[in-house]
Amino acid sequence: MKKIHIFQTILIMMAMIISVSCKPKEPTDLAKASIIPKPVTVSATGEAFTLNSKTAIFVDAGSDELTRTGQYLADKLNASTGLTIVVNEAQTEPGKGSIFLTLSGADQSLGEEGYLLTVTKQQVKLSAANPAGLFMGVQTIRQITARDSVSGKPGPFRIATGTITDHPDYSYRGMMLDVSRHFFGVEDVKQVIEYLAFYKINMFHMHLSDDQGWRIEIKSWPNLTAHGGSTQVGGGQGGFYTQEQYSDIVKFAADRYITVVPEIDMPGHTNAALSSYPELNCNGKAPDLYTGTDVGFSSLCTKKEITYTFIDDVVREISALTPGPFFHIGGDESHATKVEDYIPFINRVQDIVAKYGKRVIGWDEIALSTLKPNSVAQCWASEENAIKAIAQGAKILMSPAKKAYIDMQYDKSTPLGLHWAAYIEVDDGYNWDPASYIPGVGKENIIGVEAPMWTETITKLDDIEYMMFPRLPGIAEIGWTPVSMRNWDEYKFRLAQHAKFFEEMDINYYKSPRVPW
Ligand code: TNX
């Protein structure tokens, strides 16, 4: 009798445990959603919109651009939910069960990239003043679509109800990829761009030339790639993008509201070009290709006229393929160029870039020259140069190596990366404010923030992922979310929740001990 009683009790307890664990964990509190970057305002209404076989996406009728963004959302949601959501053009106001992307009636103060997301039990409505804003809002929808069952079976998927009003703090939120030290093919680059989109990064800076390799076809100077693109750090095969491939990357990025910023580094970091064309050297002799990792030993011959013909051709050809406003001229670590040669060189190159309708960005050393007021100094090392740049009316792009360099090792034990600037753990990379980092350089001087990924030690996509994740989401939040709303002790829990996205996207990420995964 007693035994039976105990047995019954155990059974009841087991049933209770099972019923508790099978109970849907309803994501009905929008305020608790782990969105990165953190939106400006979120208000929750405590219910949920359910995605099911009847869910459909609607976009304003007559816009291929909105249909494309709608399809992008459908593809992403279908991949994660297993549903087959389709995209329709809205002839009338769509009703129950719809996810509606619209530009009509939006508050213009949302700006270029802002959006308003209103979720009720009946409908998800995303509105924005511009298509870019809708795309940003789509990323939020992706991040708040949650599986509400813990039974292990797919779905049902839900979106918690409430309202999000959101817009970025800085207009330039970027990542740089060095494709020169090690070359990365078009598919790898597109994968990186896809990751950037998820975190609302809107600028992709491609470091297309350096001592170790020239990576973009220039039709008027074909040996740059034929010879100069033929190897890489360590002596491996190298590679380059044809103009068609580069345009394909630019288009892939543009479809995700990401602007490509091409960089041709000069006058230093030019051994690959110097090795391809002897006439670019002051002594007329082409050096051998270089596959080491030293810096500061090469220079275009600043006194030869052919150098400027060369630069004109390169800037002209690349600018013609680049719809974005910027052309990055490098300008860093020109230790092999005398400063009295460097200054007039940079001045003249700024004119060439202006001639092709582009705005100059250069590493902070360009502030030694006479900057055009619309030029941008990318601050990586020298605070003095940053001050010099703003004194000339130029703007600053913040990439301080001690904080924003995602090629730095996380700590002594992490296998990839360098540490000349710092070891940058995930919290170090998050805990800084671009607008108070350099005394005298305030928010009004800064266009935004960028995380450079130099690739001396990075040889494959897996390595890029390991260095990007989970630091890149932090840079994205620094660029998007006002500093007053940022706090590591709160962010780290949101970041931990993103492990599920990393896993879904098959990202090789660093499981930092500082993040409560
Ligand atoms: C410095 S940062 C460089 C690059 C290296 C990088 C490695 C900058 C403008 N120049 O040439 O790749 O350090 O972290």
Side-chain angles (χ1 to χ4, degrees):
M1 187 68 196
K2 215 176 172 192
K3 257 193 190 157
I4 291 171
H5 187 74
I6 292 170
F7 188 63
Q8 275 179 340
T9 313
I10 291 172
L11 268 183
I12 291 166
M13 278 172 62
M14 277 172 66
M16 277 170 63
I17 290 167
I18 290 167
S19 79
V20 166
S21 64
C22 284
K23 193 166 177 264
K25 207 173 68 189
E26 294 185 7
T28 49
D29 190 351
L30 189 61
K32 293 210 180 92
S34 294
I35 307 164
I36 299 175
K38 191 182 178 74
V40 176
T41 62
V42 179
S43 72
T45 51
E47 297 182 306
F49 172 91
T50 304
L51 287 90
N52 57 34
S53 60
K54 295 196 192 89
T55 305
I57 293 173
F58 286 84
V59 299
D60 295 338
S63 162
D64 291 347
E65 188 174 2
L66 295 203
T67 299
R68 192 184 65 222
T69 296
Q71 191 57 51
Y72 178 95
L73 177 60
D75 292 346
K76 298 299 179 194
L77 291 180
N78 290 342
S80 59
T81 64
L83 294 168
T84 48
I85 298 170
V86 295
V87 181
N88 307 288
E89 295 195 16
Q91 305 303 338
T92 55
E93 175 87 19
K96 202 167 179 282
S98 60
I99 300 176
F100 182 29
L101 277 46
T102 181
L103 294 176
S104 76
D107 182 349
Q108 294 304 305
S109 72
L110 288 167
E112 181 60 27
E113 297 177 298
Y115 64 90
L116 167 65
L117 181 64
T118 314
V119 184
T120 63
K121 272 178 91 162
Q122 285 75 35
Q123 191 188 46
V124 175
K125 182 169 176 179
L126 176 62
S127 66
N130 291 288
L134 289 181
F135 190 80
M136 299 302 154
V138 157
Q139 306 311 320
T140 300
I141 293 174
R142 290 175 68 191
Q143 294 194 5
I144 62 179
T145 302
R147 176 181 293 195
D148 80 348
S149 162
V150 289
S151 65
K153 293 205 191 94
F157 289 84
R158 294 176 171 231
I159 299 178
T161 59
T163 304
I164 296 178
T165 316
D166 202 11
H167 63 88
D169 209 27
Y170 290 100
S171 64
Y172 189 122
R173 306 174 305 280
M175 174 182 156
M176 186 206 82
L177 181 63
D178 169 7
V179 294
S180 178
R181 270 53 178 273
H182 282 97
F183 179 68
F184 299 90
V186 173
E187 290 313 308
D188 288 349
V189 169
K190 285 183 176 175
Q191 188 60 69
V192 170
I193 292 170
E194 192 69 282
Y195 297 151
L196 298 181
F198 191 65
Y199 289 103
K200 302 185 175 79
I201 294 282
N202 66 350
M203 306 299 285
F204 181 56
H205 167 182
M206 301 183 77
H207 184 76
L208 290 165
S209 69
D210 211 303
D211 291 317
Q212 297 86 347
W214 186 284
R215 306 301 181 200
I216 175 133
E217 176 190 19
I218 302 295
K219 294 199 196 276
S220 51
W221 296 74
N223 211 36
L224 289 170
T225 45
H227 174 74
S230 63
T231 190
Q232 59 182 358
V233 166
Q237 212 196 345
F240 66 91
Y241 310 113
T242 62
Q243 293 201 350
E244 208 178 323
Q245 288 174 321
Y246 173 77
S247 295
D248 183 36
I249 291 170
V250 166
K251 162 90 170 52
F252 185 89
D255 283 352
R256 287 153 184 75
Y257 298 89
I258 293 173
T259 302
V260 168
V261 179
E263 178 185 353
I264 297 298
D265 204 345
M266 52 192 150
H269 289 278
T270 42
N271 190 76
L274 296 168
S275 178
S276 306
Y277 287 98
E279 59 268 42
L280 299 176
N281 295 269
C282 284
N283 65 5
K285 289 199 191 105
D288 289 341
L289 288 168
Y290 180 70
T291 61
T293 59
D294 287 348
V295 297
F297 59 88
S298 57
S299 180
L300 292 171
C301 189
T302 58
K303 295 207 169 76
K304 280 185 166 176
E305 217 27 53
I306 183 88
T307 296
Y308 301 95
T309 308
F310 164 75
I311 294 168
D312 194 287
D313 286 337
V314 168
V315 174
R316 174 175 47 77
E317 289 196 31
I318 296 176
S319 295
L321 305 169
T322 307
F326 294 109
F327 193 103
H328 200 304
I329 62 171
D332 57 314
E333 298 173 320
S334 294
H335 310 317
T337 320
K338 289 197 190 105
V339 72
E340 60 267 32
D341 297 333
Y342 178 86
I343 291 169
F345 173 86
I346 295 292
N347 289 344
R348 200 162 160 189
V349 173
Q350 286 186 99
D351 288 336
I352 295 172
V353 171
K355 177 173 153 198
Y356 293 108
K358 299 297 178 193
R359 182 173 178 191
V360 165
I361 305 188
W363 299 104
D364 62 51
E365 291 94 322
I366 68 164
L368 299 170
S369 70
T370 310
L371 293 183
K372 289 190 184 297
N374 76 346
S375 287
V376 174
Q378 184 167 9
C379 189
W380 66 284
S382 164
E383 304 195 350
E384 208 183 313
N385 287 341
I387 301 287
K388 276 202 179 96
I390 62 171
Q392 300 187 67
K395 295 278 187 241
I396 302 294
L397 173 59
M398 288 298 290
S399 300
K402 289 181 191 343
K403 296 289 181 186
Y405 268 35
I406 53 175
D407 68 315
M408 291 295 125
Q409 285 169 275
Y410 292 93
D411 67 17
K412 283 198 186 69
S413 71
T414 49
L416 299 167
L418 306 173
H419 57 258
W420 64 264
Y423 292 103
I424 307 179
E425 248 296 355
V426 184
D427 53 345
D428 304 320
Y430 178 83
N431 268 328
W432 64 283
D433 169 25
S436 60
Y437 190 77
I438 302 176
V441 180
K443 188 141 188 253
E444 65 285 4
N445 307 119
I446 296 172
I447 63 167
V449 48
E450 182 177 285
M453 173 89 77
W454 302 100
T455 59
E456 286 93 334
T457 67
I458 311 295
T459 64
K460 52 186 189 297
L461 181 60
D462 256 10
D463 299 350
I464 296 177
E465 291 176 354
Y466 187 80
M467 303 308 272
M468 270 177 93
F469 292 99
R471 286 183 291 202
L472 194 276
I475 293 288
E477 182 149 307
I478 290 172
W480 184 282
T481 309
V483 62
S484 59
M485 295 177 59
R486 289 197 278 109
N487 171 345
W488 167 256
D489 284 319
E490 179 272 330
Y491 170 75
K492 69 183 179 189
F493 292 105
R494 264 183 298 128
L495 182 59
Q497 289 300 312
H498 277 233
K500 67 172 181 285
F501 298 123
F502 304 159
E503 274 148 31
E504 206 176 292
M505 292 188 259
D506 205 18
I507 290 172
N508 175 38
Y509 67 101
Y510 165 61
K511 292 177 190 63
S512 167
R514 304 204 185 168
V515 179
W517 302 109

